[in-house]
Amino acid sequence: MQRPIRSLFTAAALALAVQAAQAQIPVDVVGHMPLAQFNSLIAPQAYKDWGNEPFIAVNPLNPSQVVVSGFGYGTNKTSNGGSLWYSTNSGADWSMTFPFQAPANGINIPRDQTFAYDSAGTLHGIFLGSNPSPGANNLFNIYHGTTSNPGANVSATWTAGTVNHVGINNADQPWMSISGNHVFAGYDNFTGGVEERVARSD
């Protein structure tokens, strides 16, 4: 009676091993972008500015469309724009879209950023932005923008004003979730100590 059971477990283990062997090997995003774009946008940057703190979003209407964000192309703390990596073939090839327009003049992005597609296929972004004043500390707030075409140089439609009505100038670490027409943005508020806040748009 033991042999059939043992054989069954052996077959199951073998099937799992075969399935694991077929798992996709991680793709080097930078290594799978057009050479001309790499030479013009990436190569002049220091290696550490090729991208860090990545975030990924997949279009539910077309899973072949994938967005990856990160502090890339030297945009962090140096200019008023951000950048996105964009794939239309499930991550086999990538291109960089630059710039992702800042929410207002003088607002530097990205500091932190997260992305999510809604059920209509519109890409939403939540950004930590800063408004540096000479001789003063940076003022950090949360901003929300959308785009229907992340594959082009992205001109975002920005929500008027800041998302964080509490913790003005003292926000950090934004996160986002979307359910139907509801967009939720969580963030840290450091105004009087440390607390967590969630802003909602219907």
Side-chain angles (χ1 to χ4, degrees):
M1 294 296 295
Q2 295 300 317
R3 288 185 178 179
I5 295 176
R6 192 177 299 120
S7 298
L8 180 62
F9 281 121
T10 302
L14 182 60
L16 288 174
V18 171
Q19 184 178 8
Q22 293 175 343
Q24 183 177 355
I25 298 173
V27 172
D28 173 15
V29 173
V30 173
H32 285 77
M33 65 183 299
L35 181 61
Q37 194 176 46
F38 172 85
N39 288 336
S40 63
L41 296 179
I42 299 298
Q45 306 301 319
Y47 179 78
K48 68 178 182 179
D49 284 334
W50 286 9
N52 54 68
E53 295 193 23
F55 198 89
I56 188 168
V58 179
N59 187 347
L61 298 184
N62 184 355
S64 295
Q65 296 177 352
V66 185
V67 161
V68 172
S69 68
F71 295 162
Y73 188 56
T75 56
N76 188 28
K77 303 181 181 180
T78 62
S79 69
N80 292 342
S83 57
L84 292 176
W85 302 92
Y86 185 59
S87 174
T88 59
N89 56 9
S90 303
D93 298 291
W94 295 86
S95 62
M96 175 179 273
T97 60
F98 178 85
F100 197 106
Q101 300 294 335
N105 289 334
I107 302 299
N108 292 344
I109 62 170
R111 296 291 189 162
D112 297 310
Q113 55 185 341
T114 62
F115 288 88
Y117 280 94
D118 63 22
S119 58
T122 298
L123 184 67
H124 293 248
I126 292 284
F127 294 78
L128 178 66
S130 66
N131 185 2
S133 301
N137 292 327
N138 286 326
L139 309 177
F140 294 100
N141 292 295
I142 311 298
Y143 300 87
H144 167 255
T146 64
T147 180
S148 59
N149 187 13
N153 284 355
V154 182
S155 179
T157 300
W158 289 98
T159 301
T162 61
V163 170
N164 55 307
H165 302 298
V166 177
I168 296 296
N169 298 330
N170 287 288
D172 197 11
Q173 295 293 324
W175 286 87
M176 175 173 49
S177 180
I178 298 178
S179 177
N181 291 328
H182 307 297
V183 180
F184 301 88
Y187 62 93
D188 296 332
N189 170 25
F190 292 126
T191 300
V194 181
E195 68 172 5
E196 306 304 315
R197 288 276 176 169
V198 176
R200 186 185 76 184
S201 172
D202 295 330

